[in-house]
Amino acid sequence: MFLSSLILAAVTYLSPVHFDVVLAGNFGEPRPNHFHGGLDIKTQQEEGKAVYSIGDGYVSRVTVNVGGMGNCLYVRHPEGYTSVYGHLQRFAPQVEALVRRWQYRNHTTDADIELAATDCPVTQGQLIALSGDTGASLGPHLHLEIHQTDTWNMMDPLDFLPDLVEDSISPRAHSVMAYPIAGEGTFCGQNIPQHFEFTDSLLADSLTAWGKVGFGLYAEDFMQGSYNRYGIRRTTLLVDGTEVFRSEVDNIPVAENKMVNVWGDYDYFVKHQQWYMRSFILPGNKLSFLHAGADRGIVNFKEERDYMLTYVLSDFFGNQSRYSFVVAAHPDTIPPVEPDDSLIFRMDDNNECEMEGMTLSVPSGALLDEVKVVPSAIQHRARRPKEYLLAQKSIPLYNKATLRLRVEGEVADSTKLYISARRRDQRNELDPDKEIKAFIGAKLSNGWLEGDVYDLGDAFSVALDDTPPHIVPINQRGWNEEPLLLFDLKDEQSGVSGFEGYLDGQFVLFDHVKKSTRIICDLRDTPVVPQGRARQLHLLARDRMGNESIYETTINY
């Protein structure tokens, strides 16, 4: 750690913006299935703010509409780090030119472009983009990440930009959750999780325990000048003054991202939108920034006396707060673990499940905890394919599982089959009136459709998509006056996978209209030379199952 501190101290980066920074999100905030990998910098509720490279280097990668980052740019620095700038409105002209050439050469809008060191070098403070609101963004802002180039570990940008923001407000704990270990402990006479609110730095509740109990904390950090809430940089749990658990969220291997679901109480979050971060380490939790002894942070109340438990919370700037509570240990009867004849999937086993029309294989290492599986099949309506359920709640997997569904009846074109996954809503429920469906690519073999799944809580069914996407022109009458070609492009089954536009056989680039299903082409921004005559427009759209639609019309340009 000392060597790392020396290296960081030698790296000097500058702010990516030229205005006072207020954060909408900080590094390491827990999110479902991932940690927030950087800083969200507010852009005064506007798009188009200048974005500058934080250091010397070169643009190593540019992506357009890949993942949730919208327009995104990567700068590789000679110190061994790569900075990432997401949700951009547009790129600087020299980058934009490279992207446009690639898009026209490959006849596609969506892009993932790797660049050589000589393609686009940049210097510290050079304009590289304008901020925006593209991708999975909930409002205008700049998302900034810093990665170790070799390992791609996510680093806290504040370690490189310590003067980016000011903060004198300490983290705040809202409540603590007690988790009696099944068959080994009780808390307040019960063997179920219980939470207790902090109204002050010392809990006034009368708490009792016996045996082994783990704890979790719902806490958030704050900064002046903002109503946003942030993740906690450092959490320490002391028992009678001795450290039993510590987390230091400053360096996160990308491969460990999904382990947020087992550090945090994922089930509670899905129901209540509040993260209780456990102060003990479950067997499937391999997060490298968590520290505990042989007891994994679990407290053993084995002596009949009072135990003083204290949480110490610290943010990046050293602001600190302490929250304490006393637990009186009294001998108590610990209920044994009741036998359960349910199907249990275990982390270190190769798990199999089979029922009429469905098989599931979950390999060792795909689960972060052991889970109960309750397979069932439901038929909502006569014309709707049968759905297969495996669990009564969302169970995200660390690695993929293999699902096989039998295809029933005759199918006119088996190449159009895929697996549909009906997702759970924010209440962790499958609502048939508000279906959230996902496409799972699958292959057909001997009457069985096989695909990869990542959440055992979805409802799976065989689906057929032999219907091409819908292409609908918008304001077509005005195209001859202003050559802005606007279309609505939808596919309600497998989803749109791509589109291409041509004018008199020459490729013209259509861009996504953000937060919509529309695409647009301004012919004045294309290589086509206006000639004031009738031209033939040809727009092709395809979905994930290879169905294609073609829209043709004549315009004057």
Side-chain angles (χ1 to χ4, degrees):
M1 290 182 65
F2 176 72
L3 180 60
S4 298
S5 299
L6 287 179
I7 294 173
L8 285 175
V11 178
T12 303
Y13 292 144
L14 298 180
S15 172
V17 296
H18 288 178
F19 51 82
D20 292 339
V21 170
V22 177
L23 297 183
N26 73 338
F27 178 79
E29 290 178 10
R31 310 275 176 89
N33 299 311
H34 72 285
F35 293 93
H36 188 233
L39 303 178
D40 283 344
I41 297 173
K42 295 186 178 184
T43 55
Q44 302 164 342
Q45 299 181 333
E46 297 177 4
E47 297 186 53
K49 297 288 186 180
V51 177
Y52 306 93
S53 177
I54 63 173
D56 295 340
Y58 69 94
V59 178
S60 59
R61 184 185 180 196
V62 184
T63 62
V64 177
N65 202 43
V66 174
M69 294 282 267
N71 296 326
C72 186
L73 183 147
Y74 299 65
V75 175
R76 181 174 294 187
H77 305 284
E79 299 83 11
Y81 301 99
T82 298
S83 54
V84 182
Y85 311 78
H87 307 306
L88 303 171
Q89 182 188 68
R90 60 187 307 129
F91 307 110
Q94 72 273 26
V95 181
E96 191 79 20
L98 288 169
V99 173
R100 284 300 194 219
R101 282 199 297 270
W102 188 95
Q103 290 171 318
Y104 271 87
R105 187 165 59 247
N106 291 277
H107 287 200
T108 179
T109 299
D110 299 345
D112 190 345
I113 309 168
E114 299 283 347
L115 299 175
T118 55
D119 289 335
C120 191
V122 295
T123 58
Q124 187 176 63
Q126 180 177 331
L127 177 73
I128 54 176
L130 299 180
S131 68
D133 185 26
T134 57
S137 168
L138 298 179
H141 73 282
L142 170 66
H143 178 81
L144 173 68
E145 295 181 3
I146 297 180
H147 293 254
Q148 291 177 332
T149 302
D150 291 342
T151 65
W152 209 241
N153 284 13
M154 301 180 290
M155 310 292 290
D156 189 344
L158 290 179
D159 280 322
F160 302 85
L161 301 163
D163 300 323
L164 187 67
V165 294
E166 295 182 358
D167 178 14
S168 59
I169 302 177
S170 300
R172 187 182 309 159
H174 302 297
S175 53
V176 63
M177 183 85 77
Y179 297 89
I181 305 303
E184 298 185 73
T186 65
F187 198 84
C188 291
Q190 301 185 71
N191 63 346
I192 59 173
Q194 304 151 65
H195 63 87
F196 304 87
E197 308 291 327
F198 283 106
T199 57
D200 201 345
S201 60
L202 181 65
L203 272 180
D205 301 71
S206 179
L207 306 176
T208 62
W210 190 248
K212 295 182 179 181
V213 181
F215 293 91
L217 192 69
Y218 170 38
E220 295 168 316
D221 195 16
F222 299 84
M223 295 183 186
Q224 58 260 39
S226 173
Y227 292 103
N228 293 85
R229 303 179 177 206
Y230 311 98
I232 306 296
R233 170 72 177 239
R234 182 185 178 106
T235 302
T236 304
L237 175 60
L238 308 174
V239 177
D240 295 331
T242 299
E243 178 182 306
V244 299
F245 173 88
R246 174 170 44 89
S247 62
E248 184 81 36
V249 189
D250 60 350
N251 182 328
I252 307 174
V254 172
E256 297 178 2
N257 232 338
K258 287 187 178 180
M259 289 183 185
V260 67
N261 295 334
V262 71
W263 180 26
D265 189 334
Y266 178 81
D267 290 344
Y268 191 91
F269 174 81
V270 170
K271 292 181 180 179
H272 305 283
Q273 303 300 297
Q274 295 175 347
W275 278 112
Y276 279 90
M277 309 309 293
R278 293 183 176 94
S279 310
F280 61 104
I281 302 175
L282 293 177
N285 187 352
K286 309 300 183 185
L287 283 169
S288 52
F289 57 79
L290 303 183
H291 308 278
D295 54 8
R296 298 182 287 113
I298 295 171
V299 182
N300 191 356
F301 297 95
K302 60 183 179 180
E303 299 175 6
E304 193 171 356
R305 61 177 178 85
D306 287 349
Y307 290 72
M308 173 64 78
L309 281 73
T310 301
Y311 276 103
V312 183
L313 308 179
S314 306
D315 62 20
F316 170 83
F317 300 93
N319 301 304
Q320 189 177 99
S321 57
R322 300 172 71 93
Y323 292 85
S324 299
F325 53 99
V326 176
V327 178
H330 298 299
D332 194 5
T333 301
I334 299 176
V337 176
E338 295 292 334
D340 190 341
D341 57 1
S342 300
L343 179 59
I344 304 297
F345 279 4
R346 306 190 186 280
M347 296 179 294
D348 298 327
D349 291 342
N350 292 316
N351 303 279
E352 303 286 340
C353 174
E354 183 175 346
M355 62 179 298
E356 179 67 25
M358 183 277 293
T359 68
L360 175 72
S361 299
V362 182
S364 174
L367 293 166
L368 293 171
D369 198 1
E370 67 176 34
V371 299
K372 182 186 298 186
V373 179
V374 186
S376 63
I378 53 177
Q379 185 83 55
H380 295 285
R381 296 185 296 270
R383 295 183 179 180
R384 182 172 169 181
K386 184 185 297 184
E387 283 189 317
Y388 295 90
L389 294 173
L390 298 163
Q392 303 303 311
K393 62 181 182 180
S394 171
I395 302 177
L397 300 175
Y398 187 64
N399 293 314
K400 66 183 180 182
T402 301
L403 178 72
R404 297 174 70 244
L405 301 181
R406 188 169 60 201
V407 178
E408 305 286 354
E410 295 294 327
V411 178
D413 186 353
S414 62
T415 65
K416 304 299 182 182
L417 291 172
Y418 67 99
I419 294 176
S420 174
R422 188 156 58 98
R423 295 281 165 84
R424 294 182 180 271
D425 60 21
Q426 289 188 343
R427 297 170 299 172
N428 210 10
E429 297 177 357
L430 289 169
D431 188 341
D433 297 324
K434 297 179 180 179
E435 297 177 356
I436 307 172
K437 289 188 176 180
F439 167 86
I440 298 176
K443 60 183 179 181
L444 185 66
S445 177
N446 298 322
W448 289 80
L449 202 59
E450 180 179 304
D452 298 331
V453 299
Y454 290 89
D455 194 321
L456 299 185
D458 294 343
F460 303 102
S461 61
V462 173
L464 173 71
D465 182 5
D466 56 5
T467 304
H470 300 286
I471 303 176
V472 180
I474 306 296
N475 192 30
Q476 187 172 1
R477 291 183 178 180
W479 291 357
N480 292 322
E481 299 175 6
E482 188 176 20
L484 289 174
L485 313 182
L486 184 64
F487 288 89
D488 192 53
L489 188 57
K490 293 181 181 178
D491 188 276
E492 297 177 352
Q493 293 175 284
S494 62
V496 175
S497 67
F499 48 85
E500 299 171 29
Y502 297 87
L503 197 64
D504 284 349
Q506 184 175 356
F507 177 77
V508 291
L509 187 70
F510 278 81
D511 287 314
H512 297 274
V513 178
K514 67 176 187 179
K515 319 297 183 187
S516 77
T517 57
R518 295 183 174 186
I519 59 173
I520 189 169
C521 174
D522 188 340
L523 290 177
R524 294 164 295 192
D525 291 337
T526 70
V528 177
V529 178
Q531 298 179 359
R533 63 175 178 84
R535 318 289 285 266
Q536 186 71 20
L537 176 67
H538 175 102
L539 178 63
L540 178 148
R542 65 181 64 87
D543 62 25
R544 289 189 176 100
M545 297 311 299
N547 302 300
E548 293 185 348
S549 289
I550 295 175
Y551 183 89
E552 294 184 324
T553 190
T554 301
I555 65 172
N556 290 319
Y557 184 67

